[in-house]
Amino acid sequence: MSVTAIFINLFALICFLYGVYRDKEKAVESLKKAVFSLFKILPTVLIIIVIIGLMLGFVPPSEISRFVGEQSGIFGVLLVGIVGSILHIPALVSFPLAASMLDSGATVTAVAAFITTLTMIGMVTLPLEIKKLGKKFALLRNGLSFIIAIIIALIMGVLL
Amino acid sequence: MKEEKKKEQKKKMLRDWLILAGMMGVAVVLIYLYPSKQEPVISAAFDYLSEMIFILPAVMVLMGLFSVYIPKDAVSKYLGKASGIKGFFLAILFGTLPTGPLYVAFPMASTMIKKGARITNIVVFLSAWACIKIPQEMVELQFLGPEFMLARLFLTIIFVGLMGLVIEWMIDKTGGEND
């Protein structure tokens, strides 16, 4: 187990113990919820793991980096951003997917663009957002989110 | 209503398992056709699976705790009233705590705007909800490392604040609309 994994488990344990100290019944209820959501997300996690295995095993890194690596430039970043905006997958499983892209030659910029657009922009949920918050608000938020996602990604590429 | 929701969830779960079975089928066929790829595929999948297994239960416990201990109406109540730089940080904080997909936050945001909350804060709240939730950050930390996670976190907070101000300015300038 890595240091990070130990840290995450300790953090969850401390939060849980604090929860028990505050209110035992609520703590039990949150554990039940945790087990339920674990089973709910399990198939999605396994699907992504299979996809990652196939991708790393079959697609040569040179192919992947042609689209999202050094030589693809800003075009690759925009492409990944658009894909991230359209795809609708849970944020939790987007991180292992992103890590596998990094492993196979994608740039930090491309990976940051992918995660940021994936989480902040929702083409699938856009109709609901328009209905609840108005056309102007929803379109501005999604449009500007795309622009700042690309800016954040470019800065990250310079920093890391 | 609740029964219907349960049925819907069961259907979705069944669908996910079926997709998984399909993917496994595809993987088995591919490995059968290209036996030389068996080792790299299995070892890559196993690496990622073991990284996930060590943190997934902890992440779920965190999400469960947040969803039980943080009442959604309290979030609306405090954020609706907050203003200035305090409002900005409250919007970030409240966005990072609750769990659930982004579309759960839309009706909350709508209610807060109607009650007079600042557009900037609502934009910041929605963005924080979407991409800087604490359990999510833990998974990012595990898979992409502390530098990546912290850099993205700080840049997101800065740019989301700017975006909130720009959206507020644009909506104020052209007059609000309610369609």
Side-chain angles (χ1 to χ4, degrees), chain A residues 1 4 8-9 16 19 23 27 30 33-34 41 49 57-58 91-92 95 99-100 103 115-116 119-120 128-129 132-134 136 144-145 156, chain B residues 9 16 23 37 45 48-49 54 58 60 64-65 67 69 103 106 110 130-131 136 138-142 144 152 155 159 163 167 174-175 177 179:
Chain A
M1 217 195 248
T4 314
I8 294 167
N9 280 283
F16 177 70
D23 186 336
S30 59
K33 279 203 169 174
I41 198 149
I49 300 279
F58 278 91
L92 282 186
F95 297 112
S100 72
D103 272 357
I115 296 178
T116 311
T119 46
M120 279 180 50
L128 182 73
E129 188 171 354
K132 289 285 175 195
L133 296 164
K136 196 185 279 172
L144 288 176
S145 289
M156 288 202 46
Chain B
Q9 264 180 346
D16 287 350
M23 284 300 309
K37 302 284 188 195
Y48 280 85
L49 183 65
F54 284 130
M60 291 301 146
L65 286 170
S67 73
Y69 282 86
Y103 55 77
F106 294 148
S110 164
C131 68
Q136 265 176 39
M138 297 285 132
V139 184
E140 182 166 1
L141 181 68
Q142 166 87 342
L144 296 165
R152 210 176 67 85
L155 288 170
F159 279 99
M163 177 171 79
I167 292 180
T174 52
E177 54 165 0
D179 62 345

Short mmCIF file of all heavy atoms in Angstrom, two decimals, chain A residues 1 4 8-9 16 19 23 27 30 33-34 41 49 57-58 91-92 95 99-100 103 115-116 119-120 128-129 132-134 136 144-145 156, chain B residues 9 16 23 37 45 48-49 54 58 60 64-65 67 69 103 106 110 130-131 136 138-142 144 152 155 159 163 167 174-175 177 179:
data_model
loop_
_atom_site.label_atom_id
_atom_site.label_comp_id
_atom_site.label_asym_id
_atom_site.label_seq_id
_atom_site.Cartn_x
_atom_site.Cartn_y
_atom_site.Cartn_z
N MET A 1 0.85 -1.20 0.00
CA MET A 1 0.00 0.00 0.00
C MET A 1 0.88 1.24 0.00
O MET A 1 1.85 1.33 0.73
CB MET A 1 -0.87 -0.02 1.26
CG MET A 1 -2.27 0.52 1.03
SD MET A 1 -3.09 0.89 2.58
CE MET A 1 -4.35 -0.34 2.62
N THR A 4 0.19 7.37 0.00
CA THR A 4 -1.05 8.09 -0.32
C THR A 4 -2.27 7.29 0.11
O THR A 4 -3.20 7.83 0.73
CB THR A 4 -1.14 8.35 -1.84
OG1 THR A 4 0.11 8.84 -2.29
CG2 THR A 4 -2.23 9.33 -2.15
N ILE A 8 -5.12 8.35 2.81
CA ILE A 8 -6.55 8.44 2.50
C ILE A 8 -7.38 7.61 3.48
O ILE A 8 -8.40 8.05 4.00
CB ILE A 8 -6.81 7.98 1.05
CG1 ILE A 8 -6.15 8.97 0.07
CG2 ILE A 8 -8.30 7.85 0.76
CD1 ILE A 8 -6.08 8.47 -1.35
N ASN A 9 -6.88 6.39 3.78
CA ASN A 9 -7.62 5.52 4.70
C ASN A 9 -7.64 6.09 6.11
O ASN A 9 -8.67 6.04 6.80
CB ASN A 9 -7.02 4.12 4.70
CG ASN A 9 -7.49 3.32 3.50
OD1 ASN A 9 -8.61 2.84 3.48
ND2 ASN A 9 -6.66 3.23 2.48
N PHE A 16 -14.62 9.23 10.20
CA PHE A 16 -15.66 8.31 10.67
C PHE A 16 -15.74 8.30 12.20
O PHE A 16 -16.83 8.36 12.79
CB PHE A 16 -15.40 6.90 10.14
CG PHE A 16 -16.40 5.89 10.63
CD1 PHE A 16 -17.71 5.92 10.18
CD2 PHE A 16 -16.03 4.93 11.57
CE1 PHE A 16 -18.64 5.01 10.64
CE2 PHE A 16 -16.96 4.02 12.04
CZ PHE A 16 -18.27 4.05 11.57
N GLY A 19 -17.41 11.21 13.38
CA GLY A 19 -18.85 11.04 13.15
C GLY A 19 -19.50 10.20 14.24
O GLY A 19 -20.58 10.53 14.73
N ASP A 23 -22.52 11.50 16.63
CA ASP A 23 -23.85 10.88 16.55
C ASP A 23 -23.71 9.47 15.99
O ASP A 23 -23.44 9.28 14.81
CB ASP A 23 -24.73 11.74 15.63
CG ASP A 23 -26.18 11.24 15.61
OD1 ASP A 23 -26.41 10.04 15.91
OD2 ASP A 23 -27.06 12.04 15.30
N ALA A 27 -23.69 7.82 12.05
CA ALA A 27 -22.47 7.17 11.55
C ALA A 27 -22.81 5.82 10.93
O ALA A 27 -22.30 5.47 9.87
CB ALA A 27 -21.46 7.01 12.68
N SER A 30 -24.38 6.39 7.62
CA SER A 30 -23.46 6.75 6.54
C SER A 30 -22.64 5.54 6.08
O SER A 30 -22.29 5.44 4.91
CB SER A 30 -22.53 7.90 6.97
OG SER A 30 -21.80 7.54 8.10
N LYS A 33 -24.82 3.75 3.66
CA LYS A 33 -24.78 4.45 2.37
C LYS A 33 -23.49 4.13 1.63
O LYS A 33 -23.48 3.97 0.41
CB LYS A 33 -24.87 5.96 2.58
CG LYS A 33 -26.29 6.43 2.78
CD LYS A 33 -26.41 7.91 2.43
CE LYS A 33 -27.88 8.28 2.37
NZ LYS A 33 -28.09 9.70 2.18
N ALA A 34 -22.38 4.06 2.39
CA ALA A 34 -21.08 3.80 1.77
C ALA A 34 -21.07 2.43 1.10
O ALA A 34 -20.62 2.29 -0.04
CB ALA A 34 -19.97 3.89 2.81
N ILE A 41 -21.06 1.65 -7.66
CA ILE A 41 -20.01 2.14 -8.56
C ILE A 41 -19.08 1.01 -9.01
O ILE A 41 -18.35 1.14 -9.98
CB ILE A 41 -19.20 3.28 -7.91
CG1 ILE A 41 -18.44 4.05 -9.01
CG2 ILE A 41 -18.22 2.76 -6.86
CD1 ILE A 41 -18.24 5.49 -8.73
N ILE A 49 -11.37 -0.36 -15.55
CA ILE A 49 -10.13 -1.14 -15.39
C ILE A 49 -9.87 -2.02 -16.62
O ILE A 49 -8.75 -2.10 -17.11
CB ILE A 49 -10.21 -2.03 -14.11
CG1 ILE A 49 -10.41 -1.17 -12.86
CG2 ILE A 49 -9.00 -2.94 -14.00
CD1 ILE A 49 -9.18 -0.54 -12.30
N GLY A 57 -2.41 -2.44 -23.09
CA GLY A 57 -1.86 -3.65 -23.68
C GLY A 57 -1.83 -3.62 -25.21
O GLY A 57 -0.90 -4.11 -25.83
N PHE A 58 -2.85 -3.02 -25.81
CA PHE A 58 -2.98 -3.11 -27.26
C PHE A 58 -2.56 -1.86 -28.02
O PHE A 58 -2.00 -1.95 -29.09
CB PHE A 58 -4.45 -3.44 -27.64
CG PHE A 58 -4.75 -4.90 -27.53
CD1 PHE A 58 -5.25 -5.45 -26.36
CD2 PHE A 58 -4.53 -5.74 -28.63
CE1 PHE A 58 -5.51 -6.80 -26.27
CE2 PHE A 58 -4.80 -7.09 -28.53
CZ PHE A 58 -5.29 -7.63 -27.35
N ALA A 91 -16.75 11.11 -12.09
CA ALA A 91 -15.44 11.71 -11.88
C ALA A 91 -14.47 10.73 -11.21
O ALA A 91 -13.29 10.68 -11.54
CB ALA A 91 -15.58 12.96 -11.03
N LEU A 92 -15.00 9.90 -10.29
CA LEU A 92 -14.15 8.98 -9.54
C LEU A 92 -13.34 8.08 -10.45
O LEU A 92 -12.16 7.82 -10.19
CB LEU A 92 -15.00 8.10 -8.61
CG LEU A 92 -15.48 8.74 -7.32
CD1 LEU A 92 -16.18 7.70 -6.47
CD2 LEU A 92 -14.32 9.35 -6.55
N PHE A 95 -10.13 9.52 -12.94
CA PHE A 95 -8.74 9.68 -12.52
C PHE A 95 -7.85 8.50 -12.90
O PHE A 95 -6.76 8.70 -13.45
CB PHE A 95 -8.65 10.01 -11.04
CG PHE A 95 -9.31 11.32 -10.71
CD1 PHE A 95 -10.46 11.38 -9.95
CD2 PHE A 95 -8.79 12.51 -11.21
CE1 PHE A 95 -11.09 12.59 -9.68
CE2 PHE A 95 -9.40 13.73 -10.94
CZ PHE A 95 -10.56 13.77 -10.18
N ALA A 99 -4.77 8.70 -15.47
CA ALA A 99 -3.43 8.22 -15.12
C ALA A 99 -2.91 7.27 -16.20
O ALA A 99 -1.73 7.29 -16.54
CB ALA A 99 -3.46 7.52 -13.76
N SER A 100 -3.81 6.44 -16.74
CA SER A 100 -3.36 5.50 -17.77
C SER A 100 -3.01 6.23 -19.06
O SER A 100 -2.13 5.81 -19.80
CB SER A 100 -4.42 4.42 -18.03
OG SER A 100 -5.52 4.96 -18.73
N ASP A 103 0.45 7.44 -18.46
CA ASP A 103 1.36 6.29 -18.58
C ASP A 103 1.71 6.00 -20.02
O ASP A 103 2.80 5.53 -20.33
CB ASP A 103 0.71 5.03 -18.00
CG ASP A 103 0.98 4.91 -16.50
OD1 ASP A 103 1.71 5.78 -15.99
OD2 ASP A 103 0.47 3.97 -15.89
N ILE A 115 -9.70 15.92 -17.53
CA ILE A 115 -10.37 15.84 -16.23
C ILE A 115 -11.23 17.08 -15.97
O ILE A 115 -12.37 16.99 -15.52
CB ILE A 115 -9.35 15.71 -15.09
CG1 ILE A 115 -8.58 14.41 -15.22
CG2 ILE A 115 -10.06 15.74 -13.74
CD1 ILE A 115 -7.53 14.26 -14.16
N THR A 116 -10.67 18.26 -16.27
CA THR A 116 -11.39 19.49 -15.95
C THR A 116 -12.66 19.64 -16.79
O THR A 116 -13.72 19.98 -16.26
CB THR A 116 -10.47 20.72 -16.09
OG1 THR A 116 -9.25 20.45 -15.40
CG2 THR A 116 -11.10 21.95 -15.49
N THR A 119 -15.37 16.99 -15.65
CA THR A 119 -16.12 17.25 -14.42
C THR A 119 -16.95 18.53 -14.49
O THR A 119 -18.04 18.58 -13.97
CB THR A 119 -15.15 17.35 -13.21
OG1 THR A 119 -14.05 18.18 -13.55
CG2 THR A 119 -14.66 16.00 -12.80
N MET A 120 -16.42 19.58 -15.13
CA MET A 120 -17.12 20.86 -15.07
C MET A 120 -18.20 21.04 -16.13
O MET A 120 -19.16 21.77 -15.92
CB MET A 120 -16.11 22.01 -15.16
CG MET A 120 -15.49 22.25 -13.81
SD MET A 120 -14.29 23.55 -13.74
CE MET A 120 -15.03 24.89 -14.49
N LEU A 128 -31.17 20.24 -18.45
CA LEU A 128 -31.66 20.44 -17.08
C LEU A 128 -31.12 21.75 -16.51
O LEU A 128 -31.84 22.49 -15.83
CB LEU A 128 -31.24 19.26 -16.20
CG LEU A 128 -31.74 19.35 -14.76
CD1 LEU A 128 -33.24 19.08 -14.70
CD2 LEU A 128 -31.00 18.40 -13.85
N GLU A 129 -29.85 22.03 -16.78
CA GLU A 129 -29.23 23.25 -16.28
C GLU A 129 -29.94 24.48 -16.87
O GLU A 129 -30.21 25.46 -16.16
CB GLU A 129 -27.74 23.27 -16.62
CG GLU A 129 -27.00 24.43 -15.97
CD GLU A 129 -25.49 24.33 -16.13
OE1 GLU A 129 -25.01 23.32 -16.65
OE2 GLU A 129 -24.80 25.29 -15.73
N LYS A 132 -33.32 24.90 -15.15
CA LYS A 132 -33.28 25.36 -13.76
C LYS A 132 -32.65 26.74 -13.61
O LYS A 132 -33.02 27.51 -12.73
CB LYS A 132 -32.48 24.36 -12.90
CG LYS A 132 -33.20 23.06 -12.65
CD LYS A 132 -34.31 23.25 -11.64
CE LYS A 132 -35.11 21.96 -11.50
NZ LYS A 132 -36.38 22.19 -10.81
N LEU A 133 -31.66 27.05 -14.44
CA LEU A 133 -30.89 28.28 -14.20
C LEU A 133 -30.93 29.27 -15.36
O LEU A 133 -30.30 30.33 -15.29
CB LEU A 133 -29.43 27.92 -13.88
CG LEU A 133 -29.25 27.11 -12.59
CD1 LEU A 133 -27.89 26.45 -12.54
CD2 LEU A 133 -29.43 28.00 -11.38
N GLY A 134 -31.69 28.97 -16.39
CA GLY A 134 -31.79 29.90 -17.52
C GLY A 134 -30.75 29.61 -18.59
O GLY A 134 -29.69 29.08 -18.31
N LYS A 136 -29.08 31.73 -20.54
CA LYS A 136 -27.88 32.57 -20.53
C LYS A 136 -26.86 32.04 -19.53
O LYS A 136 -25.69 31.84 -19.85
CB LYS A 136 -28.29 34.00 -20.18
CG LYS A 136 -27.22 35.01 -20.52
CD LYS A 136 -27.60 36.40 -20.04
CE LYS A 136 -28.55 37.10 -20.98
NZ LYS A 136 -29.05 38.36 -20.42
N LEU A 144 -17.65 29.20 -20.81
CA LEU A 144 -16.46 29.75 -20.14
C LEU A 144 -15.69 28.64 -19.42
O LEU A 144 -14.47 28.69 -19.32
CB LEU A 144 -16.86 30.86 -19.15
CG LEU A 144 -17.31 32.18 -19.80
CD1 LEU A 144 -17.78 33.16 -18.75
CD2 LEU A 144 -16.16 32.79 -20.60
N SER A 145 -16.40 27.63 -18.90
CA SER A 145 -15.71 26.51 -18.25
C SER A 145 -14.76 25.82 -19.22
O SER A 145 -13.66 25.41 -18.85
CB SER A 145 -16.71 25.48 -17.71
OG SER A 145 -17.40 25.99 -16.62
N MET A 156 -0.81 24.16 -16.34
CA MET A 156 -0.30 22.95 -15.69
C MET A 156 0.82 22.30 -16.50
O MET A 156 1.77 21.76 -15.94
CB MET A 156 -1.42 21.95 -15.46
CG MET A 156 -2.32 22.44 -14.35
SD MET A 156 -3.28 21.19 -13.54
CE MET A 156 -2.16 19.90 -13.25
N GLN B 9 -32.97 2.69 -10.39
CA GLN B 9 -31.60 2.41 -9.96
C GLN B 9 -31.20 0.97 -10.23
O GLN B 9 -30.08 0.69 -10.67
CB GLN B 9 -31.46 2.71 -8.47
CG GLN B 9 -30.90 4.08 -8.23
CD GLN B 9 -30.75 4.41 -6.76
OE1 GLN B 9 -31.29 3.73 -5.90
NE2 GLN B 9 -30.04 5.47 -6.46
N ASP B 16 -25.14 -1.61 -16.00
CA ASP B 16 -23.70 -1.51 -15.78
C ASP B 16 -23.03 -2.87 -15.74
O ASP B 16 -21.97 -3.08 -16.32
CB ASP B 16 -23.41 -0.76 -14.47
CG ASP B 16 -23.71 0.73 -14.60
OD1 ASP B 16 -23.95 1.18 -15.74
OD2 ASP B 16 -23.72 1.43 -13.57
N MET B 23 -17.73 -6.10 -21.90
CA MET B 23 -16.33 -5.68 -22.00
C MET B 23 -15.39 -6.84 -21.74
O MET B 23 -14.38 -7.01 -22.40
CB MET B 23 -16.02 -4.57 -20.96
CG MET B 23 -16.52 -3.19 -21.29
SD MET B 23 -15.87 -2.53 -22.83
CE MET B 23 -14.12 -2.78 -22.61
N LYS B 37 -0.45 -10.51 -26.12
CA LYS B 37 -0.89 -9.33 -25.38
C LYS B 37 -1.44 -9.69 -24.00
O LYS B 37 -1.77 -8.82 -23.21
CB LYS B 37 -2.00 -8.58 -26.15
CG LYS B 37 -1.59 -8.14 -27.52
CD LYS B 37 -0.69 -6.93 -27.48
CE LYS B 37 -0.44 -6.38 -28.87
NZ LYS B 37 0.68 -5.44 -28.89
N ALA B 45 -4.12 -4.04 -16.04
CA ALA B 45 -5.42 -4.02 -15.37
C ALA B 45 -5.25 -4.30 -13.87
O ALA B 45 -5.86 -3.64 -13.03
CB ALA B 45 -6.36 -5.05 -16.00
N TYR B 48 -3.83 -1.22 -11.89
CA TYR B 48 -4.82 -0.18 -11.62
C TYR B 48 -5.89 -0.65 -10.65
O TYR B 48 -6.36 0.09 -9.80
CB TYR B 48 -5.45 0.31 -12.93
CG TYR B 48 -4.55 1.29 -13.64
CD1 TYR B 48 -3.53 0.86 -14.48
CD2 TYR B 48 -4.68 2.66 -13.41
CE1 TYR B 48 -2.68 1.76 -15.10
CE2 TYR B 48 -3.84 3.57 -14.02
CZ TYR B 48 -2.84 3.11 -14.86
OH TYR B 48 -1.99 4.00 -15.45
N LEU B 49 -6.26 -1.93 -10.78
CA LEU B 49 -7.27 -2.48 -9.88
C LEU B 49 -6.77 -2.44 -8.44
O LEU B 49 -7.50 -2.02 -7.52
CB LEU B 49 -7.60 -3.92 -10.28
CG LEU B 49 -8.69 -4.60 -9.45
CD1 LEU B 49 -10.02 -3.89 -9.67
CD2 LEU B 49 -8.83 -6.07 -9.81
N PHE B 54 -7.45 -0.29 -2.75
CA PHE B 54 -6.99 0.20 -1.45
C PHE B 54 -7.65 1.50 -1.02
O PHE B 54 -7.63 1.84 0.15
CB PHE B 54 -5.46 0.39 -1.47
CG PHE B 54 -4.72 -0.90 -1.37
CD1 PHE B 54 -3.71 -1.22 -2.26
CD2 PHE B 54 -5.04 -1.82 -0.38
CE1 PHE B 54 -3.03 -2.42 -2.17
CE2 PHE B 54 -4.39 -3.02 -0.28
CZ PHE B 54 -3.38 -3.33 -1.18
N ALA B 58 -12.50 3.58 1.43
CA ALA B 58 -12.31 4.81 2.22
C ALA B 58 -13.03 5.99 1.58
O ALA B 58 -13.69 6.79 2.25
CB ALA B 58 -10.82 5.11 2.36
N MET B 60 -15.62 5.86 -0.35
CA MET B 60 -17.07 5.68 -0.19
C MET B 60 -17.52 6.05 1.22
O MET B 60 -18.59 6.62 1.42
CB MET B 60 -17.45 4.22 -0.50
CG MET B 60 -17.31 3.87 -1.95
SD MET B 60 -18.35 4.92 -2.98
CE MET B 60 -17.35 5.04 -4.41
N GLY B 64 -20.24 8.81 2.14
CA GLY B 64 -21.38 8.48 2.99
C GLY B 64 -21.50 9.45 4.16
O GLY B 64 -22.58 9.96 4.46
N LEU B 65 -20.37 9.73 4.81
CA LEU B 65 -20.36 10.65 5.95
C LEU B 65 -20.85 12.03 5.54
O LEU B 65 -21.72 12.62 6.19
CB LEU B 65 -18.94 10.77 6.52
CG LEU B 65 -18.43 9.58 7.34
CD1 LEU B 65 -16.95 9.74 7.63
CD2 LEU B 65 -19.22 9.44 8.64
N SER B 67 -22.69 12.88 3.03
CA SER B 67 -24.08 12.96 2.62
C SER B 67 -25.02 12.88 3.82
O SER B 67 -26.12 13.42 3.78
CB SER B 67 -24.41 11.86 1.59
OG SER B 67 -24.47 10.62 2.23
N TYR B 69 -24.10 13.82 7.18
CA TYR B 69 -23.88 14.86 8.19
C TYR B 69 -24.10 16.28 7.69
O TYR B 69 -24.21 17.21 8.48
CB TYR B 69 -22.47 14.75 8.78
CG TYR B 69 -22.35 13.65 9.80
CD1 TYR B 69 -22.09 12.35 9.42
CD2 TYR B 69 -22.56 13.92 11.15
CE1 TYR B 69 -22.00 11.34 10.36
CE2 TYR B 69 -22.47 12.92 12.09
CZ TYR B 69 -22.18 11.61 11.69
OH TYR B 69 -22.10 10.63 12.62
N TYR B 103 -26.10 17.47 -11.31
CA TYR B 103 -27.48 17.88 -11.56
C TYR B 103 -28.30 17.99 -10.28
O TYR B 103 -29.34 18.62 -10.26
CB TYR B 103 -28.17 17.00 -12.60
CG TYR B 103 -28.16 15.51 -12.30
CD1 TYR B 103 -29.03 14.96 -11.36
CD2 TYR B 103 -27.31 14.66 -12.99
CE1 TYR B 103 -29.02 13.61 -11.10
CE2 TYR B 103 -27.30 13.30 -12.73
CZ TYR B 103 -28.16 12.79 -11.78
OH TYR B 103 -28.16 11.45 -11.51
N PHE B 106 -28.19 21.80 -9.36
CA PHE B 106 -28.90 22.81 -10.16
C PHE B 106 -30.13 23.36 -9.45
O PHE B 106 -30.29 24.58 -9.35
CB PHE B 106 -29.27 22.28 -11.54
CG PHE B 106 -28.08 21.99 -12.42
CD1 PHE B 106 -28.11 20.96 -13.35
CD2 PHE B 106 -26.92 22.76 -12.32
CE1 PHE B 106 -27.01 20.69 -14.16
CE2 PHE B 106 -25.82 22.49 -13.12
CZ PHE B 106 -25.87 21.46 -14.04
N SER B 110 -30.66 27.20 -8.21
CA SER B 110 -31.80 27.96 -8.69
C SER B 110 -32.54 28.62 -7.52
O SER B 110 -32.88 29.81 -7.57
CB SER B 110 -32.72 27.02 -9.47
OG SER B 110 -33.98 27.57 -9.63
N ALA B 130 -18.70 20.47 -8.90
CA ALA B 130 -18.37 19.63 -10.05
C ALA B 130 -16.97 19.06 -9.96
O ALA B 130 -16.76 17.89 -10.20
CB ALA B 130 -18.51 20.43 -11.35
N CYS B 131 -15.99 19.88 -9.57
CA CYS B 131 -14.64 19.35 -9.75
C CYS B 131 -13.70 19.41 -8.56
O CYS B 131 -12.56 18.97 -8.69
CB CYS B 131 -13.99 19.90 -11.01
SG CYS B 131 -13.62 21.62 -10.92
N GLN B 136 -13.29 13.09 -4.33
CA GLN B 136 -12.70 13.07 -5.66
C GLN B 136 -11.22 13.43 -5.62
O GLN B 136 -10.39 12.84 -6.31
CB GLN B 136 -13.38 14.10 -6.55
CG GLN B 136 -14.50 13.56 -7.38
CD GLN B 136 -15.19 14.68 -8.15
OE1 GLN B 136 -14.56 15.60 -8.64
NE2 GLN B 136 -16.50 14.60 -8.22
N MET B 138 -9.18 12.94 -3.30
CA MET B 138 -8.43 11.80 -2.75
C MET B 138 -8.05 10.83 -3.86
O MET B 138 -6.93 10.33 -3.91
CB MET B 138 -9.27 11.06 -1.71
CG MET B 138 -9.64 11.88 -0.49
SD MET B 138 -8.22 12.08 0.59
CE MET B 138 -8.25 13.80 0.90
N VAL B 139 -9.00 10.56 -4.76
CA VAL B 139 -8.73 9.64 -5.86
C VAL B 139 -7.70 10.26 -6.81
O VAL B 139 -6.80 9.58 -7.30
CB VAL B 139 -10.02 9.27 -6.62
CG1 VAL B 139 -9.74 8.25 -7.70
CG2 VAL B 139 -11.07 8.74 -5.66
N GLU B 140 -7.83 11.57 -7.02
CA GLU B 140 -6.87 12.27 -7.88
C GLU B 140 -5.47 12.19 -7.28
O GLU B 140 -4.48 11.95 -7.96
CB GLU B 140 -7.29 13.73 -8.06
CG GLU B 140 -6.36 14.51 -8.97
CD GLU B 140 -6.93 15.84 -9.44
OE1 GLU B 140 -8.06 16.18 -9.03
OE2 GLU B 140 -6.25 16.54 -10.20
N LEU B 141 -5.39 12.38 -5.94
CA LEU B 141 -4.12 12.30 -5.22
C LEU B 141 -3.48 10.93 -5.43
O LEU B 141 -2.29 10.80 -5.71
CB LEU B 141 -4.38 12.55 -3.74
CG LEU B 141 -3.20 12.53 -2.78
CD1 LEU B 141 -2.31 13.72 -3.06
CD2 LEU B 141 -3.69 12.59 -1.34
N GLN B 142 -4.29 9.89 -5.32
CA GLN B 142 -3.80 8.52 -5.44
C GLN B 142 -3.25 8.24 -6.84
O GLN B 142 -2.19 7.67 -6.99
CB GLN B 142 -4.92 7.54 -5.09
CG GLN B 142 -4.67 6.10 -5.50
CD GLN B 142 -3.91 5.33 -4.44
OE1 GLN B 142 -3.29 5.91 -3.57
NE2 GLN B 142 -3.97 4.03 -4.51
N LEU B 144 -2.81 10.52 -9.59
CA LEU B 144 -2.03 11.50 -10.36
C LEU B 144 -0.97 12.21 -9.53
O LEU B 144 -0.20 13.00 -10.04
CB LEU B 144 -2.97 12.50 -11.04
CG LEU B 144 -3.90 11.85 -12.08
CD1 LEU B 144 -5.03 12.77 -12.45
CD2 LEU B 144 -3.13 11.45 -13.32
N ARG B 152 -3.75 21.63 -9.89
CA ARG B 152 -5.06 21.75 -10.52
C ARG B 152 -6.07 22.38 -9.56
O ARG B 152 -6.89 23.20 -9.95
CB ARG B 152 -5.56 20.38 -11.00
CG ARG B 152 -6.47 20.46 -12.23
CD ARG B 152 -6.85 19.10 -12.74
NE ARG B 152 -7.71 18.39 -11.80
CZ ARG B 152 -9.03 18.55 -11.77
NH1 ARG B 152 -9.62 19.35 -12.61
NH2 ARG B 152 -9.76 17.91 -10.89
N LEU B 155 -5.28 26.26 -9.31
CA LEU B 155 -5.63 26.93 -10.56
C LEU B 155 -7.15 26.97 -10.74
O LEU B 155 -7.71 27.98 -11.17
CB LEU B 155 -4.98 26.22 -11.75
CG LEU B 155 -3.46 26.39 -11.88
CD1 LEU B 155 -2.90 25.45 -12.93
CD2 LEU B 155 -3.13 27.83 -12.24
N PHE B 159 -9.35 30.41 -11.23
CA PHE B 159 -10.05 30.68 -12.48
C PHE B 159 -11.56 30.59 -12.35
O PHE B 159 -12.30 31.30 -13.04
CB PHE B 159 -9.53 29.75 -13.59
CG PHE B 159 -8.26 30.23 -14.18
CD1 PHE B 159 -7.05 29.71 -13.79
CD2 PHE B 159 -8.26 31.27 -15.11
CE1 PHE B 159 -5.86 30.17 -14.31
CE2 PHE B 159 -7.08 31.75 -15.64
CZ PHE B 159 -5.88 31.19 -15.24
N MET B 163 -14.16 33.43 -13.40
CA MET B 163 -15.28 33.10 -14.27
C MET B 163 -16.60 33.55 -13.65
O MET B 163 -17.46 34.08 -14.33
CB MET B 163 -15.32 31.59 -14.54
CG MET B 163 -16.51 31.16 -15.37
SD MET B 163 -16.40 29.45 -15.90
CE MET B 163 -16.90 28.59 -14.43
N ILE B 167 -19.22 36.06 -15.45
CA ILE B 167 -20.61 35.68 -15.73
C ILE B 167 -21.58 36.64 -15.06
O ILE B 167 -22.56 37.08 -15.66
CB ILE B 167 -20.87 34.22 -15.30
CG1 ILE B 167 -20.08 33.26 -16.19
CG2 ILE B 167 -22.36 33.89 -15.36
CD1 ILE B 167 -20.27 31.80 -15.86
N THR B 174 -26.53 42.71 -19.38
CA THR B 174 -27.55 42.49 -20.39
C THR B 174 -28.92 42.26 -19.77
O THR B 174 -29.89 42.03 -20.48
CB THR B 174 -27.19 41.26 -21.25
OG1 THR B 174 -26.92 40.17 -20.36
CG2 THR B 174 -25.97 41.53 -22.09
N GLY B 175 -28.99 42.36 -18.47
CA GLY B 175 -30.27 42.16 -17.79
C GLY B 175 -30.55 40.69 -17.61
O GLY B 175 -30.31 39.89 -18.52
N GLU B 177 -32.55 37.17 -17.25
CA GLU B 177 -33.69 36.64 -17.97
C GLU B 177 -34.14 35.38 -17.24
O GLU B 177 -33.37 34.76 -16.52
CB GLU B 177 -33.32 36.31 -19.41
CG GLU B 177 -32.12 35.40 -19.49
CD GLU B 177 -31.95 34.78 -20.85
OE1 GLU B 177 -32.75 35.04 -21.73
OE2 GLU B 177 -31.02 33.98 -21.00
N ASP B 179 -35.79 32.51 -18.61
CA ASP B 179 -36.37 31.46 -19.43
C ASP B 179 -35.61 30.17 -19.28
O ASP B 179 -34.57 30.12 -18.65
CB ASP B 179 -36.41 31.86 -20.89
CG ASP B 179 -35.02 32.09 -21.46
OD1 ASP B 179 -34.08 32.21 -20.65
OD2 ASP B 179 -34.86 32.15 -22.68
#
